[in-house]
C-alpha cells in the first residue's frame, strides 16, 4: 500500500498491511538529535528513514513576529510583544460584558496575511505518495479563553454567556475565512486536516460535558462541517481525558480522535477500541509523558506491538502528543517506527471448501453413528 492508501484505510477502519503511523510535529529543538539518530540532514530524510505515512502542512500565515495562525490574535493587554498565545494573561475582553464591545477589538483579516500562492507553495514540496494533512488548528475555544484571560473567560461563560458566545463566534468567523482560503487553494491535494481545542486535563474534562456542548461544540461543528464539505478527513485534537465528549465529536462528523493521551484517565487504548472502535478512528497511543522520555527502546517496541494487536486498523500509531520535544529519546522514536512499519500478518485463511465439506460430513457421520 502507498502511504496515502494506508492512511485512508486505517482511518476508515478497513484492512491494512500495517496500521498507518505519523511522527507528529517535532519542535525545532528536537530535530538535531533526531537527524543524528537517523543519519539524515533534513525533515525529508527523517520521514523517509522512519517510513511514516502522513505529511503535515501548516497553514502559511504571514504576520510577524509569530508568523503562525495559532497566534493571530494579540489579546494580552499587559505584554509588550506577542510571540505566542497566552491563556493566563489578562485579555482585551477581561472586564467587558457588552456584546457591542466585540467590535472594539482590532480583528485581523486573514486575507491580509494569507495568499493563494503561499498556500499552493506550502504543498509544492510534499513528496509523492504521502497522505497530506493540513494543520489548521482553528482553536476557537482556546483563543476565546485568551481573549478574556482563562479565569475571566470561565467566569464570563457562566455569568455572561452571550458575551462569551459573541467573542467565540467572532474568533470562529476568522478561522472559517482563513480555512476557506487554504481549502480553495489546495482543492484536490489535501487528504485530512487537523483542528481542535484542548478540552481535557490529566484526570478529566476542563469543563462539564454540558458546558462543552453549550459553549464549544456549536462552533466546532461549523469548522468540522466546512472541512467535510471539501471532502477531507477531520482529525480532531484535544489533549487529556475527554471520554465523556468523544461520542459528541463522532456525531459532529470527526473521523479521527487525536491523540490517545496514554496516561490520561479513561484513555486506555483497549477501552477506547471497545467503546468507539466501530464508529471512529484514533491517532496516538505511544506515551510521550513517561515512556518515550524515560523508557527503553524495548519497552517502546512492546507498547507499539500491543497497540497493533488492539488496533489492527483504526489507529494511526503516533506519539501521544503531536509535538516531539527535546526530552524524548531519539532511540525511542527509532524503536517506535521500527515496530510500527512491520507489516501485520494477514488473518488466517479459511480452510478450502472441500475440507470444510469433509469436516462437516465427518461430523454428521459421527453424529449419525452416535444416534445408532
Amino acid at each position: 500500500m502507498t502511504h496515502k492508501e494506508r492512511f485512508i484505510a486505517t482511518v476508515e477502519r478497513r484492512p491494512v498491511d500495517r496500521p498507518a503511523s505519523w511522527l507528529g510535529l517535532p519542535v525545532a529543538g528536537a530535530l538535531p538529535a533526531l537527524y543524528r539518530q537517523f543519519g539524515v540532514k533534513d525533515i525529508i530524510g527523517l520521514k523517509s528513514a522512519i517510513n511514516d505515512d502522513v505529511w503535515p502542512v501548516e497553514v502559511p500565515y504571514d504576520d510577524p513576529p509569530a508568523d503562525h495562525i495559532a497566534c493571530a490574535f494579540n489579546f494580552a493587554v499587559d505584554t509588550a510583544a506577542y510571540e505566542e498565545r497566552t491563556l493566563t494573561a489578562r485579555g482585551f475582553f477581561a472586564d467587558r460584558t457588552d456584546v457591542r464591545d466585540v467590535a472594539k477589538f482590532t480583528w485581523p483579516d486573514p486575507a491580509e496575511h494569507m495568499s493563494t500562492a503561499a498556500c499552493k507553495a506550502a504543498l509544492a514540496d510534499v513528496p509523492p505518495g504521502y497522505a497530506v494533512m493540513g494543520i489548521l488548528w482553528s482553536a476557537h475555544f482556546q483563543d476565546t479563553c485568551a481573549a478574556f484571560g482563562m479565569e475571566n473567560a470561565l467566569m464570563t461563560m457562566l455569568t455572561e454567556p452571550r458575551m462569551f458566545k459573541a467573542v467565540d463566534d467572532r474568533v470562529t468567523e476568522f478561522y472559517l475565512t482563513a480555512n476557506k482560503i487554504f481549502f480553495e487553494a489546495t482543492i484536490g491535494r489535501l487528504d485530512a486536516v487537523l483542528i481542535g481545542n484542548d478540552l481535557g486535563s490529566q484526570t478529566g474534562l476542563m469543563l462539564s460535558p454540558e458546558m462543552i456542548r453549550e459553549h464549544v461544540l456549536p462552533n466546532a461543528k461549523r469548522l468540522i462541517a466546512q472541512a467535510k464539505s471539501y471532502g477531507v478527513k477531520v482529525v480532531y485534537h484535544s489533549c487529556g481525558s475527554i471520554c465523556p465528549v468523544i461520542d459528541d465529536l463522532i456525531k459532529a462528523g470527526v473521523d479521527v480522535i487525536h491523540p490517545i493521551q496514554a496516561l490520561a484517565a479513561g484513555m486506555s487504548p483497549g477501552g477506547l477500541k471497545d467503546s468507539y472502535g466501530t464508529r471512529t478512528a484514533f491517532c496516538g497511543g505511544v506515551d510521550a509523558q513517561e515512556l518515550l522520555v524515560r523508557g527503553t527502546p524495548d519497552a517502546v517496541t512492546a507498547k507499539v506491538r500491543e497497540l497493533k494487536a488492539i488496533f489492527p486498523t483504526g489507529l494511526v500509531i503516533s506519539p501521544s502528543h503531536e509535538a516531539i520535544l527535546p526530552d524524548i529519546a531519539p532511540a525511542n522514536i527509532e524503536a517506535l517506527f521500527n515496530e510500527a512499519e512491520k507489516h501485520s500478518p494477514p488473518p488466517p485463511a479459511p480452510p478450502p471448501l472441500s475440507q470444510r465439506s469433509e469436516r462437516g460430513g465427518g461430523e454428521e457421520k459421527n453424529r449419525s453413528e452416535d444416534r445408532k
Side-chain angles (χ1 to χ4, degrees), residues 48-292:
S48 177
I50 65 174
N51 199 30
D52 76 346
D53 298 293
V54 179
W55 195 279
V57 177
E58 298 266 8
V59 172
Y61 193 79
D62 182 15
D63 186 22
D67 286 330
H68 198 290
I69 197 165
C71 299
F73 304 109
N74 187 358
F75 289 126
V77 297
D78 299 324
T79 58
Y82 184 63
E83 296 185 9
E84 59 184 28
R85 182 175 52 200
T86 53
L87 287 171
T88 57
R90 181 178 172 80
F92 179 87
F93 293 101
D95 299 314
R96 299 173 188 267
T97 59
D98 188 339
V99 295
R100 291 173 294 184
D101 286 350
V102 173
K104 294 180 180 179
F105 182 74
T106 303
W107 295 96
D109 179 358
E112 295 181 359
H113 306 286
M114 298 175 63
S115 71
T116 297
C119 293
K120 290 180 180 293
L123 275 71
D125 295 329
V126 176
Y130 280 94
V132 181
M133 182 190 296
I135 308 299
L136 307 184
W137 291 120
S138 302
H140 62 96
F141 170 67
Q142 289 172 243
D143 284 324
T144 301
C145 288
F148 295 90
M150 192 70 182
E151 184 176 350
N152 288 319
L154 299 181
M155 292 299 295
T156 301
M157 189 184 300
L158 291 171
T159 61
E160 300 288 343
R162 289 181 65 250
M163 184 65 188
F164 186 91
K165 182 180 185 302
V167 175
D168 194 57
D169 285 348
R170 187 61 186 79
V171 171
T172 302
E173 290 296 336
F174 168 87
Y175 283 119
L176 289 168
T177 301
N179 293 349
K180 182 176 181 180
I181 295 170
F182 187 67
F183 282 131
E184 290 292 328
T186 58
I187 286 177
R189 296 292 311 281
L190 294 177
D191 301 296
V193 294
L194 187 147
I195 63 177
N197 297 275
D198 286 340
L199 304 175
S201 69
Q202 193 75 14
T203 58
L205 290 169
M206 294 168 55
L207 307 170
S208 70
E210 293 75 22
M211 293 290 281
I212 289 173
R213 290 170 190 139
E214 180 178 353
H215 297 287
V216 182
L217 286 175
N219 279 330
K221 289 177 181 178
R222 295 172 67 194
L223 291 158
I224 293 165
Q226 181 194 44
K228 301 287 278 188
S229 75
Y230 284 91
V232 300
K233 303 293 186 185
V234 174
V235 181
Y236 195 91
H237 167 87
S238 174
C239 290
S241 174
I242 62 166
C243 282
V245 294
I246 287 178
D247 191 61
D248 296 276
L249 294 172
I250 293 170
K251 290 177 181 177
V254 169
D255 298 289
V256 184
I257 304 295
H258 172 272
I260 297 179
Q261 186 171 318
L263 300 186
M267 297 296 286
S268 69
L272 294 175
K273 174 65 183 299
D274 290 344
S275 298
Y276 309 105
T278 61
R279 295 187 293 140
T280 194
F282 292 89
C283 179
V286 185
D287 170 42
Q289 292 177 280
E290 294 288 340
L291 178 60
L292 288 176

Side-chain angles (χ1 to χ4, degrees), residues 321-339:
H321 191 276
E322 80 284 352
I324 304 295
L325 301 176
D327 62 351
I328 289 179
N332 285 340
I333 294 295
E334 184 172 15
L336 189 165
F337 286 97
N338 280 346
E339 184 62 31

